């Protein structure tokens, strides 16, 4: 992330990924404000990109990150055609799970979220330990190991 992006969107703190996004009409309610679900979809898009970027794959018979829990804080609204920055950072990790922090920025923080992700095989739901390579990438991006 560049210093210009930090200044333009008011981004604070360290983040592993950042993506610009222009709010589409389909993401808005009848008042042209971004719908609450739109913020969660922005986080999902970044989560998928991040998983691929750190060497993960998506297949029914391969472990992938399944959302187990998500909390969200809506601080200020954004509206149709607003340009925002969406950020992601790994926060913590355990043997079969990890957390991501997400944020949406427009002249400062407008939304924040934390997701608990479980490494599991989608076709069976079986929990699988994170691979050494994925663990190393998450730690390199700032994730802290928990018991």
């Amino acid at each position: 992330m560049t210093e210009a992006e930090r200044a333009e969107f008011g981004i604070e703190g360290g983040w592993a990924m950042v993506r610009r996004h222009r709010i589409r009409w389909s993401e808005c309610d009848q008042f042209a404000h971004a719908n609450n679900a739109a913020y969660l979809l922005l986080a999902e898009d970044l989560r998928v990109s991040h998983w691929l970027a750190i060497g993960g794959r998506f297949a029914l018979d391969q472990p992938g990150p399944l959302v187990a829990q998500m909390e969200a804080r809506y601080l200020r609204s954004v509206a149709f055609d607003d340009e925002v920055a969406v950020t992601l950072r790994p926060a913590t990790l355990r043997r079969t799970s990890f957390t991501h922090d997400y944020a949406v920025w427009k002249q400062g923080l407008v939304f924040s979220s934390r997701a608990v992700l479980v490494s599991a095989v989608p076709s069976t739901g079986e929990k699988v330990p994170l691979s050494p390579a994925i663990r190393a990438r998450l730690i390199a991006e700032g994730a802290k190991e928990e018991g």
Side-chain angles (χ1 to χ4, degrees):
M1 167 180 345
T2 67
E3 286 305 314
E5 286 173 315
R6 284 185 176 283
E8 179 181 359
F9 294 103
I11 298 171
E12 298 174 3
W15 297 90
M17 292 188 83
V18 62
R19 176 179 291 162
R20 291 173 173 267
H21 178 78
R22 187 165 301 279
I23 302 298
R24 300 177 303 239
W25 183 255
S26 63
E27 297 169 321
C28 294
D29 61 20
Q30 68 269 28
F31 303 109
H33 294 111
N35 183 289
N36 290 357
Y39 296 87
L40 300 176
L41 291 173
L42 292 173
E44 179 180 52
D45 286 347
L46 211 51
R47 178 171 49 256
V48 168
S49 293
H50 182 257
W51 183 250
L52 295 172
I54 64 172
R57 295 183 18 178
F58 288 102
L60 286 176
D61 61 345
Q62 298 293 311
L66 304 181
V67 176
Q69 179 181 338
M70 192 156 208
E71 67 179 52
R73 291 184 59 218
Y74 300 89
L75 304 166
R76 291 187 293 123
S77 63
V78 294
F80 171 66
D81 209 35
D82 281 349
E83 189 168 21
V84 298
V86 185
T87 55
L88 170 152
R89 66 178 163 218
T92 63
L93 72 145
R94 293 182 169 202
R95 192 174 73 78
T96 62
S97 66
F98 60 104
T99 60
H100 273 170
D101 289 334
Y102 308 95
V104 176
W105 308 84
K106 181 181 183 283
Q107 299 173 338
L109 184 64
V110 299
F111 169 83
S112 66
S113 177
R114 177 166 277 190
V116 176
L117 305 160
V118 175
S119 174
V121 177
S123 61
T124 66
E126 173 192 3
K127 292 181 183 179
V128 177
L130 293 164
S131 74
I134 295 287
R135 291 183 74 77
R137 288 291 301 269
L138 292 170
I139 291 168
E141 292 180 346
K144 306 292 183 225
E145 292 193 71
E146 292 185 333

